[in-house]
């Protein structure tokens, strides 16, 4: 019998080698089809009845398969992940970003962390369950979808709107950016489970002014107006809000380390988290980061318009307040358009959480599960529209020295080989007992 832990590294390498770069922000044609066909072939090979759907635009391939469970009256568990990746500049990397090279105990390449390593784990486990004829306690729905890196508008969101029957009966879901280990204190490990994520507002800003020769006096310069507004926004600090998941994470880490945590002043506790501080720090307040600025067409011409793009992220319950605060900071002269996706939040309790803890504990005795909030977004934002309760749980046991969060969308993205094998063992236990 083939051990899924023996397949996962090969699957991760081969998936990374399929370039599924999603360079579009407007839901145009996609690159996911070859990876979707790869997954479909691997699932069909062991007997799954696979549904392949192209969602919204050519090439936006999605694959969905269901493993029937023992109790059809129980809600199904959705296990999902995305096939697309962000762009990568090969000149910046130690290895080619689409090589899938296995070196120094890691699988390297764009998507290793976000999230083809996770796809490889779920694919290996799904195949193993089917080969063994396992009947899980509840239906399992495996979904490999397109376009997450651009909001899922031609991926998960499209499927929810146009093919909701593919997820019939699903009440809970697990996916990326959770279940990874953090080493604290004297080597104790906590595994962070995502129970919430910030909302997203992608803002397109425009300032208008009077065009003219650069040598003249100008009192209505669009570039200057927008630059001043963007500078105000960059220097603005949104109010600190200690949400439930962040409180519980910091309190749990304080118990593990013996270092007190002050809920009235959480920032010192966050600063002690090392590599993790950037991620957790971003969940203490709303953020707005300028990502693009466009203006002008010649060195001696003042243009009539200037444009900028801002990536805004808001805490649950802060959507209206965030919008109002942005308007106040930017001022009335800056035009604003945006696309937005809502925050996601659930409680850290229930039978599924208990099953996660048992699966982790069986492979890493003494480890502890803690909830946290993701500062970014996932396809959970789309699937919650079907009433599906979501957890980020893609288990990885990580080396203590690895700055894991910096690898998301980063240069030299890589995932530990032993971390993948560990994740397969945990997921296999979880899905047999969920």
């Amino acid at each position: 019998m083939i051990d899924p832990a023996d397949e996962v590294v090969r699957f991760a390498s081969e998936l990374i080698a399929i370039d599924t770069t999603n360079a579009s922000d407007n839901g145009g044609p996609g690159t996911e089809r070859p990876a979707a066909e790869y997954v479909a072939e691997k699932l069909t090979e062991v007997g799954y009845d696979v549904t392949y759907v192209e969602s919204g635009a050519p090439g936006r391939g999605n694959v969905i398969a269901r493993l029937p469970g023992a109790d059809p009256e129980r809600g199904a568990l959705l296990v999902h992940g995305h096939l697309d990746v962000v762009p990568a500049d090969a000149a910046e990397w130690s290895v080619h970003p689409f090589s899938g090279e296995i070196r120094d105990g890691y699988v390297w390449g764009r998507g290793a962390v976000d999230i083809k390593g996770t796809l490889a784990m779920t694919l290996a486990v799904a195949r193993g369950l089917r080969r063994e004829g396992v009947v899980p306690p509840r239906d399992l729905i495996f979904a490999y979808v397109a376009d997450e890196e651009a909001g899922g508008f031609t991926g998960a969101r499209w499927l929810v709107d146009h093919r909701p029957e593919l997820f019939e009966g699903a009440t809970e879901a697990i996916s990326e950016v959770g279940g990874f280990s953090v080493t604290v204190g004297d080597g104790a490990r906590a595994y962070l489970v995502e129970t919430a994520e910030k909302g997203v507002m992608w803002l397109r800003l425009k300032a208008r002014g009077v065009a003219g020769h650069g040598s003249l006096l100008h009192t209505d310069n669009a570039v200057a107006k927008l630059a001043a507004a963007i500078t105000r926004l960059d220097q603005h600090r949104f109010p600190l809000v200690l949400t439930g998941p962040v409180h519980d994470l910091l309190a749990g880490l304080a118990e593990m380390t013996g270092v007190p945590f002050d809920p009235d002043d959480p920032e010192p506790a966050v600063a002690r988290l090392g590599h993790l501080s950037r991620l957790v720090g971003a969940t203490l307040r709303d953020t707005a980061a300028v990502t693009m600025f466009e203006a002008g067409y010649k060195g001696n011409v003042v243009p009539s318009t200037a444009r900028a793009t801002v990536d805004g992220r808001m805490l649950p319950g802060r959507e209206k307040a965030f919008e109002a605060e942005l308007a106040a900071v930017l001022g009335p002269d800056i035009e604003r358009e945006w696309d937005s996706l809502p925050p996601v939040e659930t409680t850290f309790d229930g039978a599924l959480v208990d099953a996660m803890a048992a699966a982790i504990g069986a492979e890493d005795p003494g480890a502890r599960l803690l909830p946290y909030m993701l500062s970014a977004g996932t396809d959970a934002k789309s699937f919650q529209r079907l009433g599906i309760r979501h957890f980020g749980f893609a288990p990885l046991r990580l080396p203590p020295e690895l700055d894991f969060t910096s690898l998301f969308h980063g240069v030299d993205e890589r995932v530990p080989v032993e971390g993948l094998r560990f994740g397969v063992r945990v997921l296999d236990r979880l899905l047999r007992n969920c």
Side-chain angles (χ1 to χ4, degrees), residues 302-353:
V302 173
S304 61
T305 59
R307 295 176 173 82
T309 301
V310 170
D311 186 335
R313 308 282 170 152
M314 77 290 289
L315 295 168
R318 282 274 305 170
E319 296 95 317
K320 292 297 183 184
F322 180 69
E323 186 179 330
E325 207 163 331
L326 278 174
V329 172
L330 292 170
D333 292 337
I334 306 301
E335 300 173 21
R336 305 183 306 280
E337 296 180 349
W338 62 84
D339 297 313
S340 62
L341 295 168
V344 175
E345 188 171 17
T346 190
T347 54
F348 189 55
D349 55 18
L352 182 59
V353 172

Side-chain angles (χ1 to χ4, degrees), residues 200-270:
V200 182
M201 180 182 285
W202 287 301
L203 285 143
R204 297 175 295 278
L205 308 180
K206 180 189 289 187
R208 300 180 188 271
V210 177
H213 200 289
S215 67
L216 301 177
L217 295 177
H218 290 273
T219 60
D220 190 19
N221 186 317
V223 179
K225 284 196 292 190
L226 186 56
I230 288 298
T231 299
R232 291 194 300 272
L233 184 60
D234 183 66
Q235 295 174 347
H236 179 71
R237 292 271 283 180
F238 290 89
L240 188 150
V241 179
L242 186 59
T243 59
V246 180
H247 173 279
D248 293 348
L249 169 65
L250 296 177
L253 291 174
E255 290 177 12
M256 294 178 69
T257 60
V259 179
F261 154 59
D262 182 359
D264 295 324
D265 185 19
E267 291 184 293
V270 172

Side-chain angles (χ1 to χ4, degrees), residues 60-395:
R60 296 290 188 188
N62 304 267
V63 172
I64 298 91
R66 185 182 291 252
L67 183 62
D71 185 356
E73 299 302 315
R74 284 192 62 193
L77 177 66
L78 172 62
V79 183
H80 67 92
H82 61 90
L83 296 158
D84 60 323
V85 298
V86 297
D89 182 353
E92 299 178 330
W93 285 58
S94 302
V95 303
H96 193 283
F98 297 104
S99 65
E101 183 172 335
I102 302 169
R103 187 178 85 182
D104 301 328
Y106 288 83
V107 184
W108 296 66
R110 177 58 85 220
V113 168
D114 188 12
I115 67 167
K116 289 183 175 177
T118 298
L119 299 185
M121 290 194 298
T122 65
L123 181 59
V125 172
R127 282 166 54 91
L129 295 174
R130 185 69 181 183
R131 275 195 303 258
E132 290 185 41
V134 171
V135 179
R138 62 202 291 196
D139 281 13
L140 302 176
I141 304 170
F142 297 96
Y144 303 82
V145 303
D147 195 38
E148 188 272 350
E149 296 292 359
F153 293 100
T154 55
R157 191 178 182 94
W158 188 95
L159 291 167
V160 165
D161 288 342
H162 295 88
R163 297 296 304 274
E165 75 280 1
L166 294 173
F167 312 102
E168 183 178 354
T171 57
E172 295 175 305
I174 60 171
S175 188
E176 59 177 317
V177 206
F180 56 90
S181 70
V182 175
T183 303
V184 298
D186 295 327
R189 275 181 295 277
Y191 288 82
L192 306 192
V193 177
E194 185 227 294
T195 62
E197 58 188 49
K198 296 171 81 174
V200 182
M201 180 182 285
W202 287 301
L203 285 143
R204 297 175 295 278
L205 308 180
K206 180 189 289 187
R208 300 180 188 271
V210 177
H213 200 289
S215 67
L216 301 177
L217 295 177
H218 290 273
T219 60
D220 190 19
N221 186 317
V223 179
K225 284 196 292 190
L226 186 56
I230 288 298
T231 299
R232 291 194 300 272
L233 184 60
D234 183 66
Q235 295 174 347
H236 179 71
R237 292 271 283 180
F238 290 89
L240 188 150
V241 179
L242 186 59
T243 59
V246 180
H247 173 279
D248 293 348
L249 169 65
L250 296 177
L253 291 174
E255 290 177 12
M256 294 178 69
T257 60
V259 179
F261 154 59
D262 182 359
D264 295 324
D265 185 19
E267 291 184 293
V270 172
R272 293 193 293 267
L273 297 179
H275 297 318
L276 196 62
S277 61
R278 291 179 63 202
L279 171 62
V280 179
T283 61
L284 290 176
R285 50 174 45 88
D286 301 336
T287 59
V290 183
T291 55
M292 298 175 68
F293 196 105
E294 303 173 74
Y297 46 88
K298 199 175 190 313
N300 61 354
V301 177
V302 173
S304 61
T305 59
R307 295 176 173 82
T309 301
V310 170
D311 186 335
R313 308 282 170 152
M314 77 290 289
L315 295 168
R318 282 274 305 170
E319 296 95 317
K320 292 297 183 184
F322 180 69
E323 186 179 330
E325 207 163 331
L326 278 174
V329 172
L330 292 170
D333 292 337
I334 306 301
E335 300 173 21
R336 305 183 306 280
E337 296 180 349
W338 62 84
D339 297 313
S340 62
L341 295 168
V344 175
E345 188 171 17
T346 190
T347 54
F348 189 55
D349 55 18
L352 182 59
V353 172
D354 293 341
M356 291 177 194
I360 287 287
E363 294 295 332
D364 192 357
R368 180 171 176 179
L369 259 63
L370 293 174
Y372 90 104
M373 178 184 292
L374 178 64
S375 60
T378 73
D379 280 329
K381 296 183 183 304
S382 294
F383 289 120
Q384 76 167 351
R385 300 173 71 211
L386 295 176
I388 297 174
R389 186 183 184 213
H390 186 272
F391 297 92
F393 188 73

